[in-house]
Amino acid sequence: MAPMSGGSREPGRSVTSKVLAILGAFDAAHPQLTLTELAARSGVPLSTAHRLVAELEEWRALGRTPDGRLRVGQRLWELGQLAPNRLRELAHPWLQELFGSTGENVHLAIRDGVEVLFVDKVHGRRAVPIVSRIGARLPMHPTGVGKALLAYEPDWFVTSYLARALERPTPRTITEPGRLARELAAVRAQGYALTYEEMTPGSCSAAAPVLVDGRPVAALGLVVSSRRARELPRLVEPLRAAAAGIACAYG
């Protein structure tokens, strides 16, 4: 494969930065893009994007859907599997065990900036559909895992987070800073978080932090249908036990 030819008509912007912008245009909300959409989201001129995309396709960094839209390619997935993830490797057996004992969707998330990043998930056909998937990001305050993480962050971070304009995915999302601060204090006092249709209508969750030396390295969560919200409290103990097991293995 020949070196990538992105051109140099844009002062101060290298070919590498253009390629990274193209790859960075894909996210959980935009897993498939047309060439025009890709150029617009990456800020790369259409003609340049066309040349670079052709080379990325040749290298299998990008692929095509049956209708011709661009998507992340198999080669990038292969490279991603090489990234070390000790937390996921140690935690996965605990997720499997928790799913086996409860039959509910189980996921593991970490904090990345002001969002939660889902790093693992175990689910079954009969469990309620959920929006989380490995590699997806969501706001912290409407999610159980996000609240479990946020409650154990330093005061300066919590204060900064609450000062932001907070997203409201559903009418039940708590966005008032004072009320949210009180809820986070309760989460820290009791050691787990509960949410009721704050991220997705029809879904409720329970989550517990994975604490290593008092620091939240991750959060473990369960999601159930709102019709079964009254069952959440009985899931808290096995959830906390699994989170403690992960913390012990990781620490």
Side-chain angles (χ1 to χ4, degrees), residues 48-158:
T48 302
H50 183 270
R51 291 195 299 272
L52 293 177
V53 162
E55 296 184 52
L56 288 167
E57 284 189 87
E58 182 185 345
W59 195 70
R60 292 187 295 126
L62 294 180
R64 296 271 183 176
T65 63
D67 64 357
R69 296 169 71 85
L70 292 158
R71 57 168 175 76
V72 172
Q74 186 76 12
R75 193 72 176 270
L76 284 187
W77 179 85
E78 292 173 6
L79 287 176
Q81 300 308 300
L82 300 178
N85 194 328
R86 178 170 172 263
L87 172 64
R88 182 181 177 185
E89 292 174 359
L90 292 173
H92 191 73
W94 293 95
L95 270 71
Q96 289 180 311
E97 186 173 304
L98 186 59
F99 172 76
S101 64
T102 64
E104 307 297 348
N105 290 309
V106 183
H107 51 211
L108 184 74
I110 61 173
R111 178 175 75 82
D112 189 22
V114 294
E115 298 175 309
V116 289
L117 172 64
F118 291 91
V119 296
D120 204 1
K121 176 179 175 180
V122 177
H123 61 103
R125 290 182 296 110
R126 294 184 177 86
V128 62
I130 55 176
V131 294
S132 69
R133 65 174 182 79
I134 298 175
R137 297 169 181 270
L138 290 174
M140 297 185 77
H141 61 282
T143 60
V145 287
K147 286 185 180 181
L149 288 166
L150 189 55
Y152 288 85
E153 291 293 342
D155 290 344
W156 69 265
F157 181 85
V158 176

Side-chain angles (χ1 to χ4, degrees), residues 6-27:
S8 56
R9 298 186 185 88
E10 297 170 82
R13 199 169 189 197
S14 66
V15 174
T16 302
S17 72
K18 295 171 189 174
V19 170
L20 292 175
I22 286 171
L23 296 177
F26 297 93
D27 58 24

